[in-house]
Amino acid sequence: MKPVKVGLLGLGTVGGGTVTVLQRNADEIQRRAGRGIEVVIATARDIKKPRAFDTSNITLTSDTQAVVDHPDVEVVIELIGGTSDAHTLVMRAIDNGKHVITANKALIAKYGNEIFAAAHAKGVMVAFEAAVAGGIPIIKAIREGLAGNKIEWLAGIINGTGNFILTEMRDKGRDFADVLAEAQALGYAEADPTFDVEGIDAGHKLTILSSIAFGIPLQFEKCYTEGISHITAADVSYAEELGYRIKSLGISRRTDKGVELRVHPTLIPERRLIANVDGVMNAVLVKGDAVGATLYYGAGAGAEATASAVVADLVDVVRTLTADPENRVPHLAFQPDALSDLPILSMDDVETAYYLRLEAQDKPGVLADVTRILSEAGISIEAILQKEQAEGVATVPVIILTHRICEKQMNDAIGCIEALTSITGKVVRIRLETLDGK
Ligand code: NDP
Ligand code: HSE
C-alpha cells in the first residue's frame, strides 16, 4: 500500500519534534499503522530559519493554504497554535475532506463544537491527544479505556510551565520571572505565557477533559480560572508546615446540580502521589464509579513528549482511514446526538475546603471574633496555626484550614473577617482538596 501523505502546519517545538520522531521511528510506526507515513509539505512563517531537524525530503512553504489544499495530502497536522489562522486552516482542511490532527487546546476548547460538527458532516477525523497533558495519553484513556465507567470527577496538574515554575520556586527559591524565562527557552510555554501562569491554558485542557468525561459540549467560557502569580513563598511554607503542597489544579466534578469546572492553586496533602508531581511533569487523577481512582503521569510539554501524542493520533488515523465513519470513536467520547445538557456550575455553588491566611493584631479576643464569624457561617475549622510576631511587624499571621463549604458562604465569611478592625489587609484564600478517592 502507498504511504499516507501528510501536510504539516508549523515547524516549531512540536512540529520539529513530530518530524524527528516520525523519521527516527519510521519502521516501528509503519509496522503499527500498517502503512508508511510521509510528511510531504510543511509550513512555517520563516522557511529559511535553520532547523535542528532534517527537512530535506519535505517541500517547505510559507503558504499555509498550499498545505490544506494539497491534492495528495490526506492528513493535515496543525501545530501553529492560536485560534485565528489555525481555525481558518482547520476548517478549510475539513472542508477539503482531509483528516486533522492538532495539539491546539485553545482551538479545540473554543471552536471544538463547530470543528467536530463539520468533521462529522464530512466524515473525517479530528484527533487532539497532544492538546491535553503533552505526552500522556489521557484522551484515549478516558474516551476508550474508561468507557465502561460513570466518571465522577477528575483533577490534574495540566500545565507543565506552571508546575515547573512552582517547583523551582519551592525547591530552589528561584524568582518567578527567571523560571518562566527558562520554561520559554525550553519550549514549554505558550506563545503568550500569561496563558500558562493565569490558568487559561489549563482551563482549555480541563474544558476538553470535562467534555469527554461527562459527555457535555465544550464550554470554556464557563470555566473558572485563577493563576499562580499571587502565590507567595510564605503560603508555600505554611502549607508545608501543615502537611500540604500547593499545586495549580484543574478540577471537574459531576454533582447533582451540574458540573464544576475550575482551575486554581490548590493545597493537596503531601502524601498524595499527585502532590509529588514536579517540574514539567503532569498528572491526571480520574475517578470512575467502577474502576475507582486512577492516575496518569508523564511529561506535560516539550518537543518529543508532545510529538509522541501527535504521532499516536497519526497512527490511529491511518489505521482507521478505511473504516466506516459511523464506526469510529466519537470525538467527544459520547455519540454526538447523546451529549448531555448538564449545566456548568458557577464558582458560588462549588464546594471545597479552604486555607485562609490573615494578618491579625496580637491581642485577646481577635481569634475568638474570627472563629465566631466562621462558626456563624456554618464553616467548621480543621486546623489553626498562629505564627510568632516578626520583629517590627504589628500583626501576626494566622493560618486556618476549614472543612468543605460552599464558596458563596466562604466569600461572605471572608467579607466579615476583613471588616474586623483587628484584621489588616485582605484574607489570602487558597482552596484545598484532599483527593482521597471518594
Ligand atoms: P512554536 O511557536 O514553537 O511553533 C509554531 C510554528 O508555527 C513555527 O514553526 C511558526 O513558524 C509557525 N507559525 C506560527 N504562526 C503561523 C502562521 N500564522 N502561519 C504559518 N506558520 C505559523 O509553537 P509550539 O510548537 O510550542 O506549539 C504549537 C502548538 O502546540 C500550540 O497550539 C501549542 O499550544 C501546542 N502545544 C505545545 C506544547 C509544547 O510543549 N510546546 C505541548 C502541547 C501542545 P516559525 O518557525 O517561522 O516561527
Ligand atoms: N504551555 C503548555 C504547558 C504546553 O506548559 O503545559 C503543553 O500543553
Side-chain angles (χ1 to χ4, degrees), residues 10-15 43-46 49 51 64 79-82 85 103-105 130 134 187-190 300-303 306:
L11 282 170
T13 303
V14 185
T43 181
R45 276 175 303 212
D46 176 3
K49 200 192 269 184
R51 311 272 166 189
T64 45
L79 300 172
I80 62 176
D85 290 353
N104 191 334
K105 48 275 165 132
Y188 300 157
E190 293 303 298
T306 311

Side-chain angles (χ1 to χ4, degrees), residues 32-356:
R32 290 194 169 103
R35 284 173 76 177
I37 296 172
E38 248 177 48
V39 178
V40 292
I41 184 166
T43 181
R45 276 175 303 212
D46 176 3
I47 55 168
K48 297 220 166 70
K49 200 192 269 184
R51 311 272 166 189
F53 45 92
D54 181 9
T55 55
S56 54
N57 290 325
I58 306 172
T59 303
L60 298 184
T61 173
S62 53
D63 178 4
T64 45
Q65 293 200 1
V67 176
V68 296
D69 292 345
H70 195 293
D72 298 336
V73 162
E74 283 185 79
V75 185
V76 169
I77 306 181
E78 184 278 304
L79 300 172
I80 62 176
T83 51
S84 175
D85 290 353
H87 177 229
T88 312
L89 290 164
V90 162
M91 292 304 285
R92 187 165 170 139
I94 291 170
D95 200 43
N96 286 339
K98 320 247 183 242
H99 304 284
V100 172
I101 293 165
T102 180
N104 191 334
K105 48 275 165 132
L107 179 73
I108 297 296
K110 211 165 153 196
Y111 294 112
N113 298 322
E114 175 199 357
I115 289 171
F116 298 144
H120 188 68
K122 272 279 177 182
V124 297
M125 286 171 273
V126 176
F128 51 95
E129 182 65 70
V132 183
I136 307 175
I138 188 65
I139 304 282
K140 204 173 190 63
I142 298 178
R143 198 162 54 181
E144 298 175 46
L146 299 181
N149 287 261
K150 186 167 181 185
I151 310 262
E152 295 170 0
W153 55 263
L154 56 90
I157 295 171
I158 46 179
N159 182 268
T161 301
N163 203 40
F164 181 67
I165 293 172
L166 284 178
T167 306
E168 291 287 304
M169 284 175 71
R170 186 196 68 209
D171 290 354
K172 301 180 188 156
R174 288 180 64 191
D175 179 59
F176 186 98
D178 172 40
V179 191
L180 173 57
E182 188 183 344
Q184 288 178 291
L186 290 166
Y188 300 157
E190 293 303 298
D192 176 356
T194 56
F195 276 40
D196 295 292
V197 297
E198 294 306 334
I200 299 162
D201 176 72
H204 290 144
K205 293 164 177 167
L206 185 70
T207 299
I208 297 170
L209 289 181
S210 175
S211 286
I212 60 170
F214 305 125
I216 54 175
L218 296 146
Q219 297 164 79
F220 171 67
E221 67 287 355
K222 295 188 185 149
C223 180
Y224 174 81
T225 55
E226 185 183 305
I228 56 169
S229 46
H230 64 285
I231 298 295
T232 65
D235 290 318
V236 170
S237 148
Y238 296 145
E240 291 218 342
E241 221 175 297
L242 290 158
Y244 293 85
R245 293 264 167 89
I246 300 180
K247 293 285 181 190
S248 177
L249 275 196
I251 301 170
S252 190
R253 189 188 305 269
R254 189 199 312 241
T255 75
D256 293 342
K257 290 184 274 171
V259 174
E260 295 178 4
L261 195 61
R262 51 191 170 105
V263 175
H264 49 70
T266 312
L267 268 77
I268 313 170
E270 67 187 2
R271 63 184 179 281
R272 299 266 173 266
L273 282 173
I274 196 167
N276 296 284
V277 171
D278 287 334
V280 75
M281 304 310 275
N282 280 191
V284 185
L285 263 166
V286 185
K287 169 78 188 332
D289 66 339
V291 71
T294 57
L295 179 67
Y296 309 85
Y297 170 84
E304 290 204 13
T306 311
S308 161
V310 171
V311 173
D313 272 349
L314 191 49
V315 170
D316 259 0
V317 167
V318 171
R319 279 178 182 149
T320 52
L321 275 179
T322 50
D324 169 5
E326 292 305 317
N327 291 327
R328 292 179 187 146
V329 179
H331 293 113
L332 288 179
F334 292 71
Q335 297 300 334
D337 58 359
L339 293 186
S340 132
D341 58 2
L342 259 181
I344 304 293
L345 293 177
S346 89
M347 270 313 272
D348 271 356
D349 297 322
V350 162
E351 207 181 85
T352 180
Y354 292 87
Y355 160 103
L356 305 177

Side-chain angles (χ1 to χ4, degrees), residues 380-421:
S380 152
I381 294 173
E382 158 89 22
I384 195 157
L385 180 69
Q386 180 174 335
K387 304 302 289 182
E388 281 164 13
Q389 198 162 12
E391 225 177 275
V393 181
T395 55
V396 289
V398 176
I399 293 95
I400 298 172
L401 301 187
T402 76
H403 287 285
R404 294 179 78 80
I405 188 76
C406 176
E407 179 117 342
K408 165 92 178 61
Q409 274 164 275
M410 180 52 84
N411 287 341
D412 292 347
I414 287 177
C416 294
I417 294 171
E418 285 174 346
L420 291 172
T421 52

